[in-house]
Amino acid sequence: AAAKHGYAHAQENLGIYLRDGRGAPQDLTGAFEWFKRAAAQGLPDALFYLADMYANGLGLSQDDAEAAKIYEFLRARGYRGAKSKLAELYTDGRGGGSAVKALEISRELAAQGDVLAQNSLAYRFITGLEIQKDVAEGARWYRRAAEQGLANAQLNLGRLYALGDGVVKDQKEAVHWYRKSGDQGNAEAQNAVGAFFANRSGEPSYETEAIEWFRRAAEQGQVDAQYELAQRYHEGVGLPKDLAEAIRWSRLAAAQGHSLAQQRLGILL
């Protein structure tokens, strides 16, 4: 009732309910109309939702140009979410933008502390994607994202320290960032921590630590970690020999195309 009487926030909320099918059957055309009414009264969120519908073709024909126009309007008024959406459109060559424009917006977002933009900018510098390759600058942006807790950035910063690429080689610093990423559930980082301890020798505690990290990664489907567990169960290194477990982990890794696991499975069966 409030929406029909012209209350802008009620119109916006009704648009959300209809778009998401909350409390009523989904009605994208109806959602669009209510967002349009709310936006006409100056609600920036409603305008943002309209742009998303244009960009994704929800309830109407996809119109990248109209989406970009709205995102640009919101960007000029400091609506932060519009910047990342605009960068996505332009990166994909949509909305009449360009890679140069997308990079410009990504830089803005990264400088403002947007962690995903920082991670994306780091990747661009590392790979030279539409920008002059600068691994040291990429490492700097990965660090900023990693310090904000982004697991993927922590993993990649760890890799740079492990290789000495763009930073001074430092295995302790590498494993520091791998651990942070792994503690957030990143399987690649968990495997990297496992490999770090597996490559050290002299103390049984290192092998125990390696197995713990390999297991965490393997249970998430990380193929190298699965093979490491298979090998240890087969050979009794750090674990009691257990052919059934060796076969189980070998099968899992082999099914993902791991050639050594496939060879080991041939021996075990």
Side-chain angles (χ1 to χ4, degrees), residues 179 193-194 196-213 232 238:
R179 276 184 180 275
V193 178
F196 172 80
F197 284 108
N199 289 331
R200 302 181 75 179
S201 59
E203 290 187 30
S205 61
Y206 291 156
E207 184 62 26
T208 301
E209 187 96 358
I211 290 168
E212 178 187 331
W213 285 97
R232 282 161 173 75

Side-chain angles (χ1 to χ4, degrees), residues 125-139:
F125 276 115
I126 296 290
T127 61
L129 178 65
E130 297 160 349
I131 197 172
Q132 181 67 39
K133 186 173 181 177
D134 186 337
V135 180
E137 185 67 5

Side-chain angles (χ1 to χ4, degrees), residues 103-259:
L103 181 59
E104 175 192 320
I105 297 168
S106 291
R107 281 181 180 274
E108 282 181 25
L109 286 165
Q112 291 169 1
D114 186 296
V115 68
L116 295 179
Q118 290 171 344
N119 190 61
S120 174
L121 193 56
Y123 177 79
R124 287 174 182 270
F125 276 115
I126 296 290
T127 61
L129 178 65
E130 297 160 349
I131 197 172
Q132 181 67 39
K133 186 173 181 177
D134 186 337
V135 180
E137 185 67 5
R140 188 172 75 85
W141 284 109
Y142 271 143
R143 177 174 287 279
R144 290 184 64 173
E147 287 172 348
Q148 290 198 70
L150 188 67
N152 184 258
Q154 292 167 341
L155 168 65
N156 285 316
L157 185 59
R159 285 172 170 164
L160 292 179
Y161 274 110
L163 296 170
D165 200 3
V167 292
V168 176
K169 191 171 184 177
D170 187 331
Q171 294 300 324
K172 287 186 178 180
E173 190 72 5
V175 81
H176 165 77
W177 289 111
Y178 287 150
R179 276 184 180 275
K180 283 187 172 292
S181 182
D183 282 338
Q184 293 192 68
N186 187 296
E188 293 297 325
Q190 291 167 349
N191 181 64
V193 178
F196 172 80
F197 284 108
N199 289 331
R200 302 181 75 179
S201 59
E203 290 187 30
S205 61
Y206 291 156
E207 184 62 26
T208 301
E209 187 96 358
I211 290 168
E212 178 187 331
W213 285 97
F214 282 142
R215 189 176 299 281
R216 289 171 68 179
E219 287 172 350
Q220 293 195 73
Q222 210 287 336
V223 64
D224 294 320
Q226 290 175 338
Y227 176 72
E228 291 292 340
L229 284 184
Q231 182 179 11
R232 282 161 173 75
Y233 275 118
H234 186 192
E235 298 172 4
V237 176
L239 290 167
K241 273 192 175 186
D242 187 329
L243 293 184
E245 279 295 282
I247 290 170
R248 183 169 79 90
W249 288 111
S250 292
R251 281 188 191 279
L252 288 169
Q256 293 193 64
H258 196 290
S259 60

Side-chain angles (χ1 to χ4, degrees), residues 43 71 76-77 156 192 237 240:
L43 292 191
Y71 287 142
R77 284 153 183 78
N156 285 316
V237 176

